[in-house]
Amino acid sequence: MSGKMIRVNKSKNVLPDRLFFVTLAPYMSLQIGIVGLPNVGKSTLFSAITKQSVDCANFPFCTIDPNVGVVEVPDERLAKLAEISKSKRIVPTTVEFVDIAGLVKGASEGQGLGNTFLSHIRDCDAIAQVLRVFEDPNVIHVDGSIDPERDAETIEIELALADLEIVTKRSQTIEKQLKAGRIKDLDISIVTLQKAKELLEKGIPLRETEWTDEERKSLKQFSLLSLKPMLYVVNINETQIQDGSWKDRVPHLLSKLKCRIIPVCVKMESELASMSDIERQEYLTDLGQDYSGLVRLIVEAYDVLGLVTYLTSGEMETRAWTVVQGTKAPQAAGVIHTDFEKAFIRAEVTGWKDFVQYGEVGCRDKGLTRIEGKEYVMRDGDVCHFRVGV
């Protein structure tokens, strides 16, 4: 028998001091598409997040081909675990951000970049929609005035119309197949598509409706845009950060249940990205902020995907691993190497706080390390040591 070790951890409430740009990893697949109308600050936001320089200009469609960057998900517990284990390196989990061209009314019918824009969104796992609240006469608005809730409605309508076209065509195809008797197992699909069609015709985003696991499985194959998780990034100025007046511009969004809204001063974040750690913290302190809006955005973006991070920690490295909520121990081990899932024996699990306080040996001595089997569901914050067979 041989043992392989793994540690876990993640929480949307734990925020680190620094953000880093990392090279795109070949296994990376978690994408957040940054969308919005032209000139709302999408590309500037992307540049601040990734610390990359991208084209930004005061006219629509400056961004045509999507810019892509990968950022580390902030998690201060990694450093604490690494200190205890005397790890040689730290490997955080990451999220991929995609800066997509500005959308305009009529995109679902080909206006602006139309189908190109929508196809780029379709490849993403979730959407971060940038809404402009700041006033600046030098930066034009495609609709002539600042109204973030109108802008949000414009984008929701275009996503719904694009979905409606797909759902309608697919429903017609399945109905013909069923009548011809060629396919007998599509009843759930046609019922689910009809439900989706009725919602879309009313302008209701599919993400705002409860779906059974079977229905979601049926809809997944269509990559429907309005079903994707949505974050609203409200682009504000420094004054609005301090007095909270931005809330008066998005009352409807704030009243919606489960609506994730992150206020970010994109202009300020762009300046913070070029500062040293000390300068950045002093600047935020002067504004009465503990963390930058970008840190919150990255953590929320990770969380909206319904993910959990477990950690491995040893002398070689302390590392974060990403799994979907509800993942069992063997499948979590398989994220490290597919053979680990097949040869899984057990998981030795320790809470990250106990690990930091007592160390690996101390936790074993105090009975704080649990032995878990194949049915164990991974929890956010677990530090794991997986035992696998030869």
Coordinates of all heavy atoms in Angstrom, one line a residue, residues 5-9 72 75-93 309-321 352 355-356 360 382-384:
M5 N -1.1 12.3 -0.4 CA -1.6 13.3 0.5 C -2.3 14.4 -0.3 O -1.9 14.8 -1.3 CB -0.5 13.8 1.4 CG -1.1 14.5 2.6 SD 0.1 14.5 3.9 CE 0.7 16.2 3.6
I6 N -3.3 15.0 0.4 CA -4.1 16.1 -0.2 C -4.7 16.9 0.9 O -5.1 16.4 1.9 CB -5.3 15.5 -1.0 CG1 -4.7 14.6 -2.1 CG2 -6.0 16.6 -1.7 CD1 -5.7 13.9 -2.8
R7 N -4.7 18.2 0.7 CA -5.3 19.1 1.7 C -6.3 20.0 1.0 O -6.2 20.4 -0.1 CB -4.2 19.9 2.3 CG -3.1 19.1 2.8 CD -3.4 18.4 4.1 NE -2.5 17.3 4.3 CZ -1.6 17.2 5.2 NH1 -1.4 18.2 6.0 NH2 -1.0 16.1 5.4
V8 N -7.3 20.5 1.8 CA -8.4 21.3 1.2 C -8.7 22.5 1.9 O -8.6 22.5 3.1 CB -9.6 20.4 1.2 CG1 -10.3 20.6 -0.1 CG2 -9.4 19.1 1.6
N9 N -9.3 23.5 1.2 CA -9.8 24.6 1.9 C -10.3 25.7 0.9 O -9.9 25.9 -0.1 CB -8.6 25.2 2.6 CG -8.9 26.6 3.2 OD1 -9.9 27.2 2.8 ND2 -8.1 27.1 4.0
E72 N -5.7 34.0 -9.6 CA -5.8 33.1 -8.4 C -7.0 33.5 -7.6 O -7.3 34.7 -7.5 CB -4.5 33.3 -7.6 CG -3.2 32.8 -8.4 CD -2.0 32.9 -7.5 OE1 -2.1 33.5 -6.4 OE2 -0.9 32.4 -8.0
D75 N -7.1 33.3 -1.0 CA -7.4 32.5 0.1 C -6.2 32.5 1.1 O -5.2 31.9 0.8 CB -7.6 31.0 -0.4 CG -8.2 30.2 0.7 OD1 -8.0 30.5 1.9 OD2 -8.9 29.2 0.4
E76 N -6.3 33.3 2.1 CA -5.2 33.5 3.0 C -4.8 32.3 3.8 O -3.8 32.2 4.4 CB -5.6 34.6 4.0 CG -6.7 34.3 5.0 CD -7.0 35.4 5.9 OE1 -6.4 36.5 5.8 OE2 -7.8 35.2 6.9
R77 N -5.7 31.3 3.8 CA -5.4 30.0 4.6 C -4.3 29.2 4.0 O -3.6 28.5 4.6 CB -6.7 29.2 4.7 CG -7.7 29.9 5.6 CD -9.1 29.2 5.5 NE -9.7 29.3 4.2 CZ -10.9 28.9 3.9 NH1 -11.6 28.2 4.8 NH2 -11.3 29.1 2.7
L78 N -4.1 29.4 2.7 CA -3.0 28.7 2.0 C -1.7 29.0 2.7 O -0.8 28.1 2.9 CB -3.0 29.0 0.5 CG -4.1 28.4 -0.3 CD1 -4.1 29.0 -1.7 CD2 -3.9 26.9 -0.5
A79 N -1.4 30.3 2.9 CA -0.2 30.7 3.5 C 0.0 30.2 4.9 O 1.1 29.8 5.3 CB -0.1 32.3 3.5
K80 N -1.1 30.2 5.6 CA -1.0 29.7 7.0 C -0.7 28.2 7.0 O 0.1 27.7 7.9 CB -2.4 29.9 7.7 CG -2.7 31.4 7.9 CD -4.0 31.7 8.6 CE -4.3 33.2 8.8 NZ -5.6 33.4 9.4
L81 N -1.3 27.4 6.2 CA -1.0 26.0 6.1 C 0.4 25.8 5.6 O 1.1 24.9 6.1 CB -2.0 25.3 5.1 CG -3.5 25.2 5.6 CD1 -4.4 24.8 4.5 CD2 -3.6 24.2 6.8
A82 N 0.8 26.6 4.7 CA 2.2 26.4 4.1 C 3.2 26.7 5.2 O 4.3 26.0 5.2 CB 2.4 27.3 2.9
E83 N 2.9 27.6 6.1 CA 3.9 28.0 7.1 C 4.0 26.8 8.1 O 5.1 26.4 8.6 CB 3.4 29.2 7.9 CG 4.3 29.7 9.0 CD 3.8 30.9 9.7 OE1 2.8 31.4 9.3 OE2 4.5 31.3 10.6
I84 N 2.9 26.1 8.4 CA 2.9 25.0 9.4 C 3.6 23.8 8.7 O 4.4 23.1 9.4 CB 1.5 24.6 9.7 CG1 0.8 25.7 10.5 CG2 1.5 23.3 10.5 CD1 1.4 26.1 11.8
S85 N 3.4 23.6 7.4 CA 4.0 22.4 6.7 C 5.4 22.7 6.2 O 6.0 21.8 5.7 CB 3.1 22.0 5.6 OG 1.8 21.6 6.1
K86 N 5.8 24.0 6.3 CA 7.1 24.4 5.7 C 7.2 24.1 4.2 O 8.2 23.5 3.7 CB 8.3 23.8 6.5 CG 8.4 24.3 7.9 CD 9.5 23.7 8.7 CE 9.7 24.3 10.1 NZ 8.5 24.2 10.9
S87 N 6.1 24.4 3.5 CA 6.0 24.0 2.1 C 6.9 24.9 1.3 O 7.1 26.1 1.5 CB 4.5 24.3 1.6 OG 3.6 23.5 2.4
K88 N 7.4 24.3 0.2 CA 8.3 25.0 -0.7 C 7.6 25.9 -1.6 O 8.1 26.9 -2.2 CB 9.1 24.0 -1.5 CG 10.1 23.1 -0.6 CD 10.8 22.1 -1.5 CE 11.8 21.3 -0.6 NZ 12.5 20.3 -1.4
R89 N 6.3 25.6 -1.9 CA 5.5 26.5 -2.8 C 4.1 26.4 -2.4 O 3.6 25.5 -1.8 CB 5.8 26.2 -4.2 CG 5.2 24.8 -4.6 CD 5.3 24.6 -6.1 NE 4.8 23.3 -6.6 CZ 4.4 23.0 -7.8 NH1 4.6 23.9 -8.8 NH2 4.0 21.8 -8.1
I90 N 3.3 27.4 -2.9 CA 1.9 27.5 -2.7 C 1.2 27.5 -4.1 O 1.6 28.3 -5.0 CB 1.5 28.8 -1.9 CG1 2.0 28.7 -0.5 CG2 0.0 28.9 -1.9 CD1 1.7 29.9 0.3
V91 N 0.2 26.7 -4.3 CA -0.5 26.6 -5.6 C -2.0 26.8 -5.3 O -2.7 25.9 -4.9 CB -0.3 25.3 -6.3 CG1 -1.0 25.3 -7.7 CG2 1.2 24.9 -6.4
P92 N -2.5 28.0 -5.6 CA -3.9 28.3 -5.3 C -4.8 27.8 -6.5 O -4.3 27.4 -7.5 CB -3.9 29.8 -5.3 CG -2.9 30.3 -6.2 CD -1.8 29.2 -6.1
T93 N -6.1 27.8 -6.2 CA -7.0 27.5 -7.3 C -7.2 28.8 -8.1 O -6.9 29.9 -7.7 CB -8.3 27.0 -6.8 OG1 -9.1 26.4 -7.8 CG2 -9.1 28.0 -6.1
T309 N -13.3 24.1 -2.4 CA -11.9 23.9 -2.5 C -11.4 23.0 -1.3 O -11.7 23.4 -0.2 CB -11.1 25.2 -2.5 OG1 -11.5 26.0 -3.6 CG2 -9.6 25.0 -2.7
Y310 N -10.7 22.0 -1.6 CA -10.0 21.2 -0.6 C -8.5 21.4 -0.7 O -8.1 21.7 -1.8 CB -10.4 19.8 -0.6 CG -9.9 18.9 -1.7 CD1 -8.6 18.4 -1.6 CD2 -10.6 18.7 -2.8 CE1 -8.1 17.6 -2.6 CE2 -10.1 17.9 -3.8 CZ -8.9 17.4 -3.7 OH -8.4 16.6 -4.7
L311 N -7.8 21.3 0.3 CA -6.3 21.5 0.3 C -5.5 20.3 0.6 O -5.9 19.4 1.3 CB -6.0 22.6 1.4 CG -6.8 23.9 1.2 CD1 -6.5 24.8 2.5 CD2 -6.4 24.6 0.0
T312 N -4.3 20.3 0.0 CA -3.3 19.4 0.4 C -2.1 20.2 0.9 O -1.8 21.3 0.4 CB -2.9 18.5 -0.8 OG1 -2.3 19.3 -1.8 CG2 -4.0 17.7 -1.3
S313 N -1.5 19.7 1.9 CA -0.4 20.5 2.5 C 0.8 19.6 3.0 O 0.5 18.7 3.8 CB -0.9 21.4 3.7 OG 0.1 22.3 4.1
G314 N 1.9 19.8 2.5 CA 3.1 19.1 2.9 C 4.4 19.9 2.6 O 4.3 21.0 2.2
E315 N 5.5 19.2 2.8 CA 6.8 20.0 2.6 C 7.0 20.4 1.1 O 7.5 21.4 0.8 CB 8.0 19.1 3.0 CG 8.0 18.9 4.5 CD 9.3 18.1 4.9 OE1 10.2 17.9 4.0 OE2 9.4 17.7 6.1
M316 N 6.5 19.6 0.2 CA 6.7 19.9 -1.2 C 5.8 21.1 -1.6 O 6.3 22.1 -2.2 CB 6.3 18.7 -2.1 CG 6.5 19.0 -3.6 SD 6.2 17.6 -4.6 CE 7.5 16.5 -4.1
E317 N 4.5 21.1 -1.2 CA 3.6 22.2 -1.6 C 2.4 22.2 -0.8 O 2.0 21.2 -0.2 CB 3.3 22.2 -3.1 CG 2.4 21.0 -3.4 CD 1.9 21.0 -4.9 OE1 2.6 21.6 -5.7 OE2 0.9 20.3 -5.2
T318 N 1.8 23.4 -0.7 CA 0.4 23.5 -0.2 C -0.4 23.9 -1.3 O -0.1 24.9 -2.0 CB 0.3 24.5 1.0 OG1 1.0 24.0 2.1 CG2 -1.1 24.9 1.3
R319 N -1.5 23.2 -1.6 CA -2.2 23.4 -2.9 C -3.8 23.3 -2.7 O -4.3 22.6 -1.8 CB -1.8 22.3 -3.9 CG -2.4 22.5 -5.2 CD -1.7 21.6 -6.2 NE -2.2 21.8 -7.6 CZ -1.4 21.6 -8.7 NH1 -0.2 21.2 -8.6 NH2 -1.9 21.9 -9.9
A320 N -4.5 24.1 -3.4 CA -5.9 24.1 -3.4 C -6.4 23.4 -4.6 O -5.9 23.5 -5.7 CB -6.4 25.6 -3.5
W321 N -7.5 22.6 -4.4 CA -8.1 21.8 -5.5 C -9.5 22.1 -5.6 O -10.2 22.2 -4.6 CB -7.9 20.3 -5.2 CG -6.4 19.9 -5.1 CD1 -5.7 19.9 -3.9 CD2 -5.5 19.4 -6.1 NE1 -4.4 19.5 -4.2 CE2 -4.3 19.2 -5.5 CE3 -5.7 19.2 -7.5 CZ2 -3.2 18.7 -6.2 CZ3 -4.6 18.7 -8.2 CH2 -3.4 18.5 -7.6
W352 N -9.2 22.9 8.6 CA -8.0 23.7 8.3 C -7.6 24.5 9.6 O -6.4 24.7 9.8 CB -8.2 24.7 7.1 CG -9.1 25.9 7.5 CD1 -10.4 26.0 7.4 CD2 -8.6 27.1 7.9 NE1 -10.8 27.2 7.8 CE2 -9.7 28.0 8.1 CE3 -7.3 27.7 8.1 CZ2 -9.6 29.3 8.5 CZ3 -7.2 29.0 8.6 CH2 -8.3 29.8 8.7
F355 N -5.7 22.2 11.8 CA -4.4 21.9 11.2 C -3.4 23.0 11.5 O -2.2 22.8 11.8 CB -4.5 21.7 9.7 CG -3.3 21.1 9.0 CD1 -3.2 19.8 8.7 CD2 -2.2 21.9 8.6 CE1 -2.1 19.2 8.1 CE2 -1.1 21.4 8.0 CZ -1.0 20.1 7.7
V356 N -3.9 24.3 11.3 CA -3.0 25.4 11.6 C -2.6 25.5 13.0 O -1.5 25.9 13.4 CB -3.7 26.7 11.1 CG1 -2.9 28.0 11.6 CG2 -3.8 26.7 9.6
E360 N -0.2 18.7 11.6 CA -0.7 17.4 11.2 C -0.5 16.3 12.3 O -1.5 15.6 12.6 CB 0.1 16.9 9.9 CG -0.4 15.5 9.4 CD 0.3 15.1 8.1 OE1 1.2 15.8 7.7 OE2 -0.2 14.1 7.6
D382 N -11.8 21.5 4.2 CA -11.2 20.2 4.5 C -9.7 20.2 4.1 O -9.3 20.7 3.1 CB -11.8 19.0 3.8 CG -13.2 18.7 4.4 OD1 -13.5 19.1 5.5 OD2 -13.9 17.9 3.8
V383 N -8.9 19.7 5.0 CA -7.5 19.4 4.6 C -7.4 17.9 4.6 O -7.7 17.2 5.6 CB -6.5 19.9 5.7 CG1 -5.1 19.6 5.3 CG2 -6.7 21.4 5.8
C384 N -7.0 17.3 3.4 CA -7.2 15.9 3.2 C -5.8 15.2 2.9 O -4.9 15.7 2.3 CB -8.1 15.6 2.0 SG -9.8 16.2 2.3

